Amino acid sequence: MAEAAQTISDRIHEMLDDLTRAERQLALSILENYPASGLGPLTALAKAAGVSVPTVARMVQKLGYKGYPEFQAGLREELKARVKTPIAKHDTWAEAAPSEHILNRFTDAVIDNIRLTLGQIDPQAFDDACALIADEKRHLYIVGGRITHTLAEYLFLHMQVIRPNLTHVQSTSNTWPHYLLNAAEGDVFVIFDVRRYENNTLRLAEFAHQRGAEIVLMTDQWRSPVHQMATVCLSNRIVVPSAWDSATTTMLLLETMISAVQTLNWAQTKARIEELEDMFDQTKLFRKFT
């Protein structure tokens, strides 16, 4: 069986505007420490949110569950999905794999990921992230992990052309604390962290947050623990019929972000491209004619 298309967090975000004051208060309390906030007793959740037990019961039913135990079971399934190994991911798909060709199955999954991601991302949050990344007064740090370092490198390469004042940090490196020596209040960290979330990345984010840095998080539908410190959290769908998760939707957001940032900084970006092209000509790095 394929993993659920929507997380409980997604459902809560979708219905926020339609909730009563007490239900909204409960919803925000759940999201603040999600999903751990919903794993304790019903009475403890109600007390932590400052609402009544009937409010929790109504909210759970609005989310589509018959009762609190079923709601908690859903949260536990999400926790299991967060830490799945490549073998477990493969087996999940292989058990119910349809007969059509993998090209069709994989493409359908990717298209669903894109559709669901774009349907749930707040355009204002995306614009806010681009504005932070484009601000040349802020030092920009770009952080990738064991797998996501390739995405971080892709963003860093383009940002090198678009703007000055940036640093590429690999969270898997044991020297990452050195980079934080120069991090100051108002600086921006773009952090990539998808399941299985990395302890180095979380510690780096905690240090950056303590220094007053702004964090733009690129993560999956379950959201890295870093989201609790993030100024902007961009969640995207990653599940495909494979032992590994897909980076296609993340790359779509990334390339859109690069386009938006270059537009915001176009005057300087154009000048930097012209200077770079001149260096390419002088070094004969590329062939101009075949």
Side-chain angles (χ1 to χ4, degrees):
M1 181 181 296
E3 293 165 48
Q6 272 195 321
T7 64
I8 293 172
S9 173
D10 291 333
R11 298 185 202 178
I12 293 173
H13 277 104
E14 283 183 357
M15 64 171 56
L16 273 177
D17 292 339
D18 300 321
L19 299 177
T20 66
R21 184 196 60 78
E23 289 169 347
R24 185 178 179 85
Q25 184 173 319
L26 170 62
L28 294 176
S29 179
I30 293 172
L31 292 173
E32 186 176 354
N33 190 27
Y34 181 85
S37 52
L39 294 176
L42 186 154
T43 52
L45 176 58
K47 182 177 179 181
V51 300
S52 67
V53 169
T55 297
V56 177
R58 285 197 305 273
M59 179 73 164
V60 165
Q61 290 182 342
K62 283 189 175 183
L63 288 170
Y65 296 97
K66 295 177 181 177
Y68 193 66
E70 188 176 89
F71 168 74
Q72 288 190 311
L75 288 176
R76 292 191 185 97
E77 285 302 311
E78 287 188 27
L79 281 173
K80 289 180 185 176
R82 284 187 177 201
V83 296
K84 274 189 176 180
T85 65
I87 293 173
K89 293 173 195 172
H90 173 271
D91 290 348
T92 297
W93 283 95
E95 287 169 5
S99 58
E100 65 254 34
H101 195 278
I102 182 62
L103 277 170
N104 296 326
R105 287 191 286 126
F106 200 99
T107 301
D108 286 344
V110 167
I111 291 172
D112 281 344
N113 286 344
I114 292 172
R115 177 178 52 81
L116 288 166
T117 297
L118 294 182
Q120 291 168 7
I121 281 187
D122 179 2
Q124 185 58 57
F126 184 84
D127 291 346
D128 291 344
C130 293
L132 284 170
I133 294 168
D135 189 348
E136 297 170 7
K137 298 185 183 70
R138 304 170 185 264
H139 194 98
L140 177 63
Y141 295 86
I142 301 174
V143 183
R146 172 175 167 263
I147 300 295
T148 55
H149 73 91
T150 55
L151 296 166
E153 288 169 4
Y154 188 82
L155 177 61
F156 177 73
L157 177 65
H158 286 82
M159 288 301 114
Q160 277 184 306
V161 178
I162 292 172
R163 54 159 292 170
N165 199 22
L166 73 162
T167 300
H168 178 210
V169 182
Q170 290 196 35
S171 66
T172 51
S173 167
N174 59 10
T175 62
W176 64 257
H178 298 178
Y179 294 100
L180 289 165
L181 290 173
N182 296 322
E185 184 174 357
D187 286 347
V188 177
F189 281 71
V190 177
I191 296 178
F192 295 82
D193 194 28
V194 299
R195 69 173 183 181
R196 298 173 283 177
Y197 312 114
E198 298 182 36
N199 289 325
N200 272 354
T201 304
L202 178 58
R203 293 296 292 136
L204 186 153
E206 288 170 344
F207 278 110
H209 183 65
Q210 288 167 12
R211 286 176 170 262
E214 309 276 2
I215 295 175
V216 175
L217 174 65
M218 304 286 284
T219 188
D220 52 40
Q221 61 255 52
W222 300 282
R223 298 196 301 176
S224 155
V226 174
H227 87 269
Q228 297 180 31
M229 294 162 278
T231 305
V232 180
C233 176
L234 299 176
S235 300
N236 60 95
R237 304 293 171 146
I238 62 173
V239 177
V240 287
S242 170
W244 291 274
D245 292 320
S246 170
T248 304
T249 308
T250 313
M251 181 61 82
L252 172 64
L253 293 179
L254 201 53
E255 293 198 318
T256 307
M257 182 177 285
I258 291 167
S259 176
V261 173
Q262 80 170 11
T263 300
L264 290 170
N265 287 17
W266 179 242
Q268 180 161 329
T269 298
K270 181 181 178 183
R272 290 172 67 85
I273 291 174
E274 289 171 345
E275 186 176 354
L276 184 62
E277 288 296 322
D278 183 57
M279 283 191 278
F280 286 160
D281 288 345
Q282 292 183 52
T283 59
K284 295 182 170 54
L285 185 60
F286 298 109
R287 293 173 61 94
K288 284 208 165 184
F289 304 99
T290 58

